[in-house]
Amino acid sequence: MADGKPLLHKMEIVEIALDQHGPMPERRVALIDKNRDLYLATVRTFATTHKVVKLAVMIQTMAWNDDTNMLAALQDGHFTVWYYPNAAFVDQALLSKTFLEKDSSEFGKNPLILSFLGCHVTMRRVDGSLVSTSISPYPSILHGYVANARWEEAIRLCRFVKETALWASLAGMAAYARELATAEIAYAAVDEVDKVNYIQYIKEQPSKEARNAEMALFAGSAQDAEGIMLQGGLTFRAIMMHINLYNWDRALELALKYKTHVDTVLGFRQRYLVKFNKTETNKRFQQYADGVEIDWAKIEAKIAMEEEKERDGRKR
């Protein structure tokens, strides 16, 4: 692979295909294993392993579009096209809203997808004859607008077409590109109220690093969010993220490594145990509990100071 790290899969792979559009860090590879499960994986990664997500089961054949990163497949009697399969790495809840599905009986038994060119998909039947089908041109147009950062045109297109699949695809594309204004409009159009509220919260964050980190967290990647925060000097925010996610060991590890907010971590851990009527069983927390004073007045003052520091950073 492009980063020199092997892509590992637990089952034998019977078919593999690389998408055809975009810069290398954003490329995706689709694979079908011997169980006929379809997976999507990143080509480049800065983590120890590639991100891999399952898209579907009982897949017979697949093909990427030649000009955009749409993916077509034949699945258990259905012809399926994912308009934006990368949504799997942005917001998996969108996947169920971003594809076209129709009956495939007209294509015969066990056809093979030969090509997916523009809006047309060509298949070969078992008897060798060719058959084709077409999809709406609007998803391809949407991809073109987004590739050129023409977000206003993308919104106008979705408003004109009035299809949930198109709005959901735009929501995923905008979230991936961190185009928050467009993402807010698109998520509202597919009635994802909680996502709209969270995007509004992200827009209020005081720094670009904080907004990027929150978007990574929005996409379900706490590891990426932590990396962005630490690189941007937002150590306290990284610690608080792990506290809020109940990743207590990592929160304490960061506090000890950067020699800051150890009492904050221990204090919130103590509150957590009291709330759920538990006793401390974690040996690392037991080790530091006796030697660190928990003074909530000091903790809250430090938290206020950290928040003020972030706000001052925005003003500068």
Side-chain angles (χ1 to χ4, degrees), residues 257-274:
K257 179 179 179 179
Y258 290 94
K259 298 180 175 63
T260 183
H261 288 286
V262 175
D263 57 342
T264 304
V265 177
L266 295 175
F268 277 102
R269 172 72 172 181
Q270 191 179 79
R271 279 188 175 178
Y272 165 80
L273 294 173
V274 171

Side-chain angles (χ1 to χ4, degrees), residues 30-98:
L31 59 93
I32 302 173
D33 64 20
K34 69 176 184 179
N35 287 341
R36 311 311 299 185
D37 295 333
L38 174 62
Y39 291 85
L40 195 67
T42 55
V43 171
R44 293 192 65 182
T45 180
F46 297 103
T48 54
T49 59
H50 294 268
K51 293 180 182 178
V52 181
V53 294
K54 183 188 284 190
L55 284 185
V57 299
M58 301 182 70
I59 299 294
Q60 298 166 232
T61 179
M62 63 160 178
W64 288 101
N65 186 263
D66 67 321
D67 191 46
T68 67
N69 289 336
M70 293 187 288
L71 180 64
L74 286 166
Q75 172 189 20
D76 190 27
H78 293 90
F79 171 70
T80 305
V81 176
W82 285 272
Y83 293 153
Y84 187 59
N86 194 56
F89 298 108
V90 180
D91 180 359
Q92 288 220 16
L94 286 176
L95 268 181
S96 61
K97 299 180 179 181
T98 58

Side-chain angles (χ1 to χ4, degrees), residues 2 25 27 35 43-46 63 114 120 147 150 162 174 190 201 216 240 252 260 267 290:
R27 302 292 292 275
N35 287 341
V43 171
R44 293 192 65 182
T45 180
F46 297 103
L114 296 180
H120 302 281
R150 295 164 63 183
K162 298 178 182 177
V190 293
Y201 160 75
M240 288 304 301
L252 182 59
T260 183
D290 295 335

Side-chain angles (χ1 to χ4, degrees), residues 4-268:
K5 298 174 184 176
L7 173 59
L8 304 176
H9 190 65
K10 58 186 176 181
M11 301 292 293
E12 179 184 344
I13 296 172
V14 296
E15 187 174 349
I16 189 167
L18 181 68
D19 65 10
Q20 301 298 299
H21 182 72
M24 186 55 68
E26 299 178 10
R27 302 292 292 275
R28 305 290 181 252
V29 61
L31 59 93
I32 302 173
D33 64 20
K34 69 176 184 179
N35 287 341
R36 311 311 299 185
D37 295 333
L38 174 62
Y39 291 85
L40 195 67
T42 55
V43 171
R44 293 192 65 182
T45 180
F46 297 103
T48 54
T49 59
H50 294 268
K51 293 180 182 178
V52 181
V53 294
K54 183 188 284 190
L55 284 185
V57 299
M58 301 182 70
I59 299 294
Q60 298 166 232
T61 179
M62 63 160 178
W64 288 101
N65 186 263
D66 67 321
D67 191 46
T68 67
N69 289 336
M70 293 187 288
L71 180 64
L74 286 166
Q75 172 189 20
D76 190 27
H78 293 90
F79 171 70
T80 305
V81 176
W82 285 272
Y83 293 153
Y84 187 59
N86 194 56
F89 298 108
V90 180
D91 180 359
Q92 288 220 16
L94 286 176
L95 268 181
S96 61
K97 299 180 179 181
T98 58
F99 65 83
L100 161 75
E101 187 175 78
K102 62 182 181 180
D103 184 74
S104 65
S105 58
E106 63 182 285
F107 309 132
K109 187 178 180 181
N110 298 326
L112 176 69
I113 296 178
L114 296 180
S115 64
F116 183 9
L117 306 177
C119 303
H120 302 281
V121 180
T122 303
M123 289 165 269
R124 187 186 300 280
R125 290 173 170 158
V126 174
D127 63 5
S129 62
L130 299 181
V131 61
S132 64
T133 188
S134 60
I135 65 169
S136 165
Y138 296 122
S140 180
I141 295 171
L142 179 65
H143 274 276
Y145 284 151
V146 171
N148 291 288
R150 295 164 63 183
W151 299 104
E152 289 296 329
E153 287 97 326
I155 292 170
R156 284 200 292 270
L157 175 68
C158 290
R159 284 175 173 159
F160 172 74
V161 178
K162 298 178 182 177
E163 285 186 5
T164 297
L166 214 60
W167 274 118
S169 298
L170 179 58
M173 294 172 185
Y176 183 76
R178 300 187 174 98
E179 178 62 34
L180 298 180
T182 303
E184 183 179 353
I185 293 169
Y187 271 108
V190 293
D191 297 323
E192 293 279 2
V193 178
D194 56 332
K195 305 290 176 61
V196 173
N197 292 336
Y198 192 70
I199 289 170
Q200 290 173 345
Y201 160 75
I202 293 172
K203 289 167 68 177
E204 295 171 355
Q205 298 309 298
S207 66
K208 180 181 178 181
E209 291 81 5
R211 291 190 293 274
N212 288 343
E214 292 294 342
M215 282 304 298
L217 194 58
F218 176 85
S221 180
Q223 184 179 16
D224 289 348
E226 180 194 293
I228 294 169
M229 291 175 190
L230 296 179
Q231 189 173 15
L234 303 175
T235 306
F236 168 71
R237 184 180 280 264
I239 291 170
M240 288 304 301
M241 176 191 73
H242 287 296
I243 289 174
N244 292 329
L245 294 174
Y246 302 122
N247 295 334
W248 297 108
D249 285 323
R250 184 56 179 166
L252 182 59
E253 184 180 339
L254 288 177
L256 292 170
K257 179 179 179 179
Y258 290 94
K259 298 180 175 63
T260 183
H261 288 286
V262 175
D263 57 342
T264 304
V265 177
L266 295 175
F268 277 102

